[in-house]
Amino acid sequence: MSEKIKNPPRPRHGPGHGPHGMPSEKAKDFKGTAKKLLHYIGNYKYAIIIVSLFAIGGTIFNVKGPQVLGDAITELFNGYMAKVMGTGEINYAAIGNILLFLLFLYGVSTLLSFIQGWIMAGISQSISYRFRKDISEKINRMPMKYFESTSVGDILSRIINDVDTIGQNINQSIMIIITSVATIIGVLVMMLRISPLMTLIAIVILPITGILIGFVVKHSQKYFVDHQKYLGDINGQIEEVYSGHNIIKAFNREEDTVKEFAGTNDKLYESAWKSQFISGLMMPIMFFVGNLGYVAVAVIGSILTIRGTIQIGDIQAFIQYVRNFTQPIQQIAQVSNMLQSTAAAAERVFAFLAEEEEGEWDGKSEVSNQDNMNQVIFENVHFGYNPEKAIINDFSLQVSSGQMVAIVGPTGAGKTTMVKLLMRFYDVNSGRIMVDGRDIREYDRLELRQNFGMVLQDTWLFKGTIMENIRYGKLSATDEEVIGAAKAAHAHRFIKTLPEGYQMELNEDASNVSQGQKQLLTIARAILADNPILILDEATSSVDTWTEVRIQKAMANLMAGRTSFVIAHRLSTIRDADMILVMRDGDIVEQGNHEDLLKADGFYAELYHSQFEQTAV
């Protein structure tokens, strides 16, 4: 296109573009991925330090609470006993002051926790934004072969599911880890101040808890992985069935589709049930072990109180501390699963960001003059998608400025491959392609491609108005220029008959206009772009013969003075081409103009006469 496109709307694909939402898998390199993730979020270390300070501050105020409440209970108990024995009264003023101080402690703790959560939410969303930005920029640098070998759903999963998992889990896990560690340390200190003996008894339950948690995590993790996998599979099936429901109905595949969905759904149910059931055992086990600790603390505490070693309020405070001590341990256990999921998602994202990119521009040359950008030379080109299996062998061609080159041949002959090489979607295995006298590998890909206008057989339209879709060819174009391009493409007339004309909004699949009308809109977009070199890949395949004749006239005006490459199956549309390349099994078997090729009575003549005979029939 003639201008750089910033943040273009996402294209709407048709049926059969692969599953949506491939799942996260268990991280193969947990430590390595964790280091990368920590390095990735290093830009937010100061914000995380602030969060940690607020978390520690909130924990300190919260941990102090049970002791203060215990002091109130002790004051109440001593006053009551004094009243019973007739030696004094309950000091309600002192109790009130203690409770007010307790309210202050919890109020400050809540405020600090609120600030901590607000900052952490911003950090997690910033991390998610950065991941999506990096992935989006990475996509623009990826070679075409990656997208032809990777499903759309898998890529979308990395942008949506995996990044969401990372963002949400980072938000929760960092807060839980900081708060839990601070709570454990603070509670342990307070418990030791009350009674080292009871603290020892409470700590004895930790190894038992750790063993049980490890057992649950070990056996539940594999089911969580299966659950994520089948969740991705079922999302992919739903996406494919939804986008291709017309094809499914046309071929009476409803029953098979339902069976396939039911099979995957059963596997999802099985894995979800097992993962949730086993992980759900964690809390009952923790409560059981915790209750054993409470019983032991209550018995020992009663004995110590009778002996006068500690106050009755201390027992109440200690029991609350025991609960506060086991709770963060439970939370950390839950974070272990969360960290596994985060590492798995991050590993997939980092793997994508580390994928091979298109060769970087080395600064050898820039596009010097667009007026000279229409001289194209293919020199001894060899290419194969698999280097060991060439599909284009020793192809050479010189295209002069302003020539129209038609590429014809049966399906799979390599016609579109020639175009992909010209635009550097792929690089040649050997030989070279030259534009403006320079090897195209010396140009920056973006600058090179800005000089090509393309109209493909598969229409590419996005959700937006018709005006916006045509203007995609040149974002700075005025409404008058857009309308002029539509008129040149013979699209203006049908656009004016639509309910809102140029302001009519196309839906997600652009199914509210016909296939032929879609093609006219893409042609108008190419006309508006006004590029030096044109590539037309079956550009009129979806329009009727009468409209095709009119478009051909418009295209003839557009191609005047420009080099153009036209891929066509209907040979009647390229009879006026300056050069016709006839491809067969990846080789150029014939080349010349229409009349010369017919006189040669070769493969082109065979193709042409076969179409003529079919038309006559």
Side-chain angles (χ1 to χ4, degrees):
M1 298 299 173
S2 60
E3 298 190 1
K4 296 181 180 179
I5 304 300
K6 295 182 179 179
N7 301 324
R10 185 169 70 87
R12 307 297 174 178
H13 299 283
H17 278 270
H20 168 68
M22 294 302 293
S24 299
E25 299 175 356
K26 188 174 182 179
K28 298 177 182 177
D29 182 13
F30 181 87
K31 291 183 179 179
T33 303
K35 289 181 180 179
K36 291 180 182 178
L37 188 57
L38 289 174
H39 177 74
Y40 198 85
I41 63 178
N43 293 339
Y44 310 96
K45 58 184 178 182
Y46 296 112
I48 293 177
I49 291 174
I50 294 175
V51 168
S52 302
L53 294 177
F54 277 106
I56 294 172
T59 301
I60 291 174
F61 283 99
N62 192 56
V63 167
K64 184 69 175 176
Q67 182 190 17
V68 176
L69 182 60
D71 293 341
I73 293 176
T74 298
E75 180 69 28
L76 178 63
F77 177 78
N78 292 337
Y80 177 76
M81 294 301 297
K83 184 177 181 180
V84 171
M85 298 177 65
T87 58
E89 295 289 336
I90 299 175
N91 190 346
Y92 289 105
I95 295 174
N97 291 332
I98 294 173
L99 294 179
L100 286 175
F101 181 59
L102 178 64
L103 181 63
F104 168 77
L105 289 177
Y106 285 141
V108 173
S109 176
T110 301
L111 177 62
L112 294 177
S113 297
F114 172 80
I115 297 174
Q116 166 200 353
W118 180 74
I119 296 175
M120 197 63 227
I123 294 173
S124 64
Q125 290 304 311
S126 296
I127 293 172
S128 297
Y129 174 83
R130 183 182 170 192
F131 267 119
R132 290 198 175 96
K133 180 176 180 292
D134 289 349
I135 292 175
S136 177
E137 293 175 351
K138 176 74 174 184
I139 288 175
N140 293 329
R141 302 191 299 267
M142 298 287 280
M144 185 65 67
K145 64 182 180 181
Y146 179 84
F147 298 102
E148 293 182 348
S149 61
T150 307
S151 69
V152 174
D154 184 62
I155 299 173
L156 291 178
S157 175
R158 297 171 196 262
I159 300 175
I160 300 173
N161 296 347
D162 292 333
V163 173
D164 279 347
T165 297
I166 294 171
Q168 293 174 8
N169 288 358
I170 285 178
N171 184 16
Q172 297 178 28
S173 60
I174 290 180
M175 290 179 61
I176 290 175
I177 290 173
I178 295 173
T179 304
S180 297
V181 171
T183 300
I184 290 173
I185 295 173
V187 167
L188 185 60
V189 171
M190 298 303 294
M191 289 169 63
L192 288 171
R193 289 183 60 184
I194 294 174
S195 172
L197 177 60
M198 289 196 298
T199 302
L200 179 62
I201 295 173
I203 291 178
V204 168
I205 67 174
L206 291 182
I208 302 175
T209 303
I211 293 172
L212 293 175
I213 288 175
F215 177 82
V216 172
V217 170
K218 179 180 178 181
H219 287 78
S220 65
Q221 181 63 24
K222 61 180 180 179
Y223 295 115
F224 275 114
V225 172
D226 290 341
H227 175 258
Q228 286 296 100
K229 177 182 184 302
Y230 295 125
L231 180 62
D233 290 343
I234 207 166
N235 284 338
Q237 291 178 13
I238 292 172
E239 190 272 339
E240 287 185 339
V241 170
Y242 175 77
S243 59
H245 66 279
N246 290 337
I247 304 299
I248 293 173
K249 287 182 175 296
F251 286 89
N252 294 323
R253 299 286 294 179
E254 295 93 339
E255 186 175 346
D256 293 336
T257 301
V258 171
K259 287 182 179 179
E260 182 181 7
F261 178 85
T264 306
N265 200 25
D266 288 341
K267 294 177 181 178
L268 177 63
Y269 169 81
E270 181 99 6
S271 60
W273 182 85
K274 289 181 179 180
S275 64
Q276 293 178 19
F277 172 73
I278 295 178
S279 63
L281 293 175
M282 185 180 297
M283 295 306 295
I285 292 174
M286 295 295 297
F287 280 128
F288 175 73
V289 176
N291 288 333
L292 292 180
Y294 296 150
V295 172
V297 167
V299 172
I300 299 300
S302 300
I303 296 174
L304 294 177
T305 302
I306 292 173
R307 292 179 178 179
T309 304
I310 62 175
Q311 299 292 330
I312 189 169
D314 292 335
I315 298 178
Q316 182 276 333
F318 196 92
I319 291 177
Q320 192 169 349
Y321 280 132
V322 171
R323 182 177 296 275
N324 291 342
F325 190 65
T326 57
Q327 184 179 7
I329 296 175
Q330 297 171 12
Q331 292 175 339
I332 291 176
Q334 294 173 349
V335 168
S336 64
N337 275 339
M338 198 179 297
L339 292 177
Q340 285 284 353
S341 175
T342 304
E347 187 174 62
R348 280 168 47 83
V349 172
F350 286 132
F352 180 81
L353 293 176
E355 284 287 345
E356 178 186 358
E357 299 181 2
E358 290 183 325
E360 292 292 337
W361 176 48
D362 56 13
K364 292 180 181 178
S365 176
E366 296 183 4
V367 176
S368 56
N369 187 350
Q370 288 194 354
D371 294 336
N372 296 326
M373 283 295 295
N374 42 18
Q375 298 174 350
V376 181
I377 298 175
F378 292 82
E379 187 176 284
N380 305 118
V381 171
H382 292 261
F383 175 75
Y385 294 103
N386 182 349
E388 298 177 357
K389 186 178 180 181
I391 61 175
I392 295 179
N393 301 289
D394 197 23
F395 169 58
S396 296
L397 174 70
Q398 181 170 343
V399 182
S400 300
S401 175
Q403 279 192 324
M404 172 185 175
V405 178
I407 307 174
V408 301
T411 300
K415 302 185 297 296
T416 302
T417 300
M418 298 292 296
V419 171
K420 291 179 179 179
L421 293 176
L422 184 60
M423 297 197 67
R424 286 200 71 194
F425 292 145
Y426 293 88
D427 281 328
V428 298
N429 299 136
S430 63
R432 60 179 180 170
I433 301 174
M434 302 178 68
V435 175
D436 190 21
R438 294 192 179 100
D439 193 320
I440 61 174
R441 286 171 292 193
E442 296 180 359
Y443 291 106
D444 172 45
R445 292 178 191 265
L446 178 61
E447 297 296 330
L448 176 70
R449 291 171 185 167
Q450 285 178 348
N451 292 275
F452 289 89
M454 293 189 69
V455 179
L456 304 177
Q457 181 176 5
D458 293 330
T459 55
W460 191 91
L461 298 172
F462 53 85
K463 187 177 183 346
T465 65
I466 290 177
M467 180 74 74
E468 291 171 341
N469 272 273
I470 298 177
R471 186 177 279 122
Y472 192 77
K474 182 181 178 183
L475 294 182
S476 62
T478 63
D479 291 352
E480 291 73 19
E481 290 175 322
V482 171
I483 294 172
K487 289 179 178 179
H490 297 277
H492 178 73
R493 182 175 180 181
F494 94 79
I495 294 174
K496 296 300 290 183
T497 63
L498 297 174
E500 298 178 47
Y502 284 89
Q503 298 306 316
M504 173 180 167
E505 184 163 322
L506 302 178
N507 57 27
E508 292 186 356
D509 297 322
S511 58
N512 48 347
V513 292
S514 71
Q515 185 63 35
Q517 290 171 336
K518 294 180 189 178
Q519 197 78 67
L520 292 174
L521 294 178
T522 59
I523 292 172
R525 177 193 297 161
I527 293 174
L528 181 65
D530 194 23
N531 304 111
I533 302 177
L534 298 175
I535 297 175
L536 311 175
D537 188 352
E538 289 294 329
T540 59
S541 61
S542 300
V543 298
D544 59 87
T545 304
W546 181 77
T547 304
E548 183 180 39
V549 172
R550 302 181 66 188
I551 292 178
Q552 287 297 327
K553 294 179 181 179
M555 290 306 230
N557 294 329
L558 174 65
M559 291 186 289
R562 291 178 174 83
T563 303
S564 57
F565 293 83
V566 180
I567 298 175
H569 282 127
R570 290 199 286 233
L571 305 185
S572 59
T573 63
I574 47 92
R575 285 179 295 189
D576 296 330
D578 298 295
M579 175 69 67
I580 299 176
L581 305 179
V582 185
M583 299 194 68
R584 188 176 192 177
D585 298 328
D587 293 322
I588 307 297
V589 295
E590 294 177 310
Q591 61 184 44
N593 59 38
H594 175 72
E595 298 298 334
D596 292 340
L597 291 174
L598 285 182
K599 290 178 183 179
D601 198 24
F603 186 55
Y604 176 81
E606 181 182 341
L607 289 175
Y608 184 79
H609 290 308
S610 66
Q611 289 190 6
F612 178 78
E613 290 171 1
Q614 291 174 3
T615 304
V617 172

